Amino acid sequence: GVASGRGILLKSGDVLETAARVTDVVLDKTGTLTRGAPSVVGCFPVAPGWGEDEVLGLAAAVERKSEHVHARAIVEAARAGGGVADAEVSGFRAVPGRGVVASVELGSRAASAVLGSRLASAGGASRTSRVRVGNRGLLADEGIAVPVDALERAGALENEGHTVVWVGVDGRAVGFVALADAVRPETPAAIAALRARRLGLAVVSGDAAGPTARVAGALGIGRAEAEVTPQGKREVVEAMQRDGRRVLFAGDGVNDAPVLSQADLGVAVARGADVSLESADAVLVRDDLRLVPDLLRLGRRATNVIRGNLFWAFAYNVAGIPLAVAGALHPLVAAAAMAASSLFV
Ligand code: ADP
Ligand code: MG
């Protein structure tokens, strides 16, 4: 890595040149601007027969198979509370930017420890339910409607900056989990440094409008795009490029791979998923967003040095060649000047 001493790994020498020409910086929210280590602040059942522990315990049973930061928080909270439902989970599928889906054996005896006998053995025999854990888009994809009063409660929490994860069982929303994720302590300084460089700033997130606007607002970033899928993030950057902007995108997740490749300069933050590291042009080895303005400053300085040297190399030749042709320059001096100019560059 060219600049690994500063905590940045550059995939090629072109990165610095590109960095010098960046006009806009687009940032992922979760895990990039925020810590990406959310914690559960509450669990809210919205269907009759469902309690807090049951909603959380069932969500955790499915999320155990996911590596998403929300999944980790939900499993942790269930373990600390009423427990993770010990039900058989099959057909697990992650829907990027939306959540997870799986079949859960709800009627089993093991499941009843957490899910309660009423829920677990409803109808007596074991039954398989399709469980969905994720954002509203994930439920909407399956035509699952959410009761209006539940939407209002969730909306109020979102406006306070919380992320809401819905739990759907078969055709019905049974509850939601609210999570909070703090802005990283070094983020405000990083954003201030980018603003000082007069760059356009935007936040894109797969999260809902409430928490996305909240984080952008706290950092004074005017443009915030929420509920954006991984492909959507790529399209946001593509549209900016069509307007002649040169875009740096910084993000952490697997879901950021398409946009990291699309951006003029894709920067993956450390601890990010392997996939995102592969798609990036630069990797922040040290987990610190302030390295982004550092990288841009370095790029500017490097190209200024290159430009300065090119100028002197040309100046040498413009002055030297006519002199040499006229015989006013000793061939040895001319040769030395030529070598020196190449050395400069
Ligand atoms: P961001 O763009 O903010 O980094 P992601 O693209 O990783 O977020 O995820 C977007 C949204 O998808 C999350 O805010 C969450 O609502 C939902 N989501 C994705 N995976 C999961 C999961 N395993 N559990 C719950 N929600 C999930
Ligand atoms: Mg992210």
Side-chain angles (χ1 to χ4, degrees):
V2 178
S4 56
R6 303 176 74 95
I8 312 169
L9 197 99
L10 307 181
K11 294 278 184 74
S12 79
D14 299 346
V15 172
L16 288 179
E17 256 184 277
T18 312
R21 293 182 302 143
V22 162
T23 58
D24 293 76
V25 175
V26 177
L27 301 133
D28 165 57
K29 177 178 76 78
T30 315
T32 305
L33 295 173
T34 68
R35 287 184 188 277
S39 52
V40 171
V41 295
C43 183
F44 305 83
V46 303
W50 286 85
E52 284 180 34
D53 287 349
E54 285 139 3
V55 171
L56 192 61
L58 178 61
V62 178
E63 292 281 31
R64 222 171 9 184
K65 300 197 179 271
S66 163
E67 278 170 4
H68 198 272
V69 289
H70 293 163
R72 261 182 267 159
I74 287 169
V75 173
E76 215 168 89
R79 287 209 176 108
V84 178
D86 189 17
E88 203 179 301
V89 176
S90 58
F92 173 87
R93 189 164 58 89
V95 186
R98 287 213 184 292
V100 292
V101 186
S103 295
V104 182
E105 209 66 49
L106 275 189
S108 66
R109 184 175 302 224
S112 71
V114 166
L115 297 181
S117 53
R118 195 152 63 101
L119 268 186
S121 55
S126 164
R127 68 198 152 88
T128 303
S129 288
R130 202 70 187 144
V131 178
R132 279 161 237 281
V133 186
N135 56 21
R136 262 189 60 208
L138 185 78
L139 298 199
D141 284 347
E142 298 300 317
I144 301 177
V146 177
V148 175
D149 56 331
L151 270 184
E152 280 172 2
R153 261 206 291 169
L157 285 160
E158 284 180 336
N159 288 337
E160 286 169 29
H162 294 114
T163 294
V164 168
V165 173
W166 292 92
V167 183
V169 176
D170 295 326
R172 189 162 72 144
V174 299
F176 63 87
V177 182
L179 300 106
D181 190 16
V183 168
R184 288 173 188 273
E186 66 279 0
T187 298
I191 298 302
L194 292 173
R195 187 170 293 118
R197 301 190 73 82
R198 299 168 164 277
L199 295 159
L201 297 172
V203 180
V204 288
S205 178
D207 206 346
T212 304
R214 184 80 176 198
V215 168
L219 296 167
I221 298 174
R223 184 170 176 203
E225 309 242 354
E227 288 179 44
V228 187
T229 61
Q231 205 52 31
K233 289 185 181 180
R234 195 187 67 74
E235 284 159 13
V236 166
V237 166
E238 206 177 21
M240 294 170 76
Q241 288 168 332
R242 272 201 302 271
D243 284 344
R245 318 298 297 177
R246 279 178 297 270
V247 184
L248 181 153
F249 175 86
D252 72 318
V254 177
N255 298 342
D256 297 334
V259 63
L260 281 167
S261 328
Q262 177 69 37
D264 296 271
L265 186 40
V267 180
V269 305
R271 292 190 307 116
D274 293 345
V275 185
S276 65
L277 302 187
E278 271 169 35
S279 318
D281 302 299
V283 177
L284 304 187
V285 179
R286 187 151 48 81
D287 209 348
D288 186 342
L289 209 56
R290 285 174 299 192
L291 291 170
V292 171
D294 280 358
L295 173 61
L296 298 179
R297 198 176 315 125
L298 201 64
R300 176 66 70 186
R301 209 184 297 156
T303 48
N304 282 346
V305 168
I306 291 167
R307 271 196 212 118
N309 291 346
L310 278 176
F311 170 79
W312 285 113
F314 276 114
Y316 260 46
N317 290 321
V318 165
I321 290 171
L323 288 176
V325 168
L329 211 60
H330 190 278
L332 269 179
V333 176
M338 195 55 152
S341 79
S342 301
L343 214 65
F344 256 142
V345 177

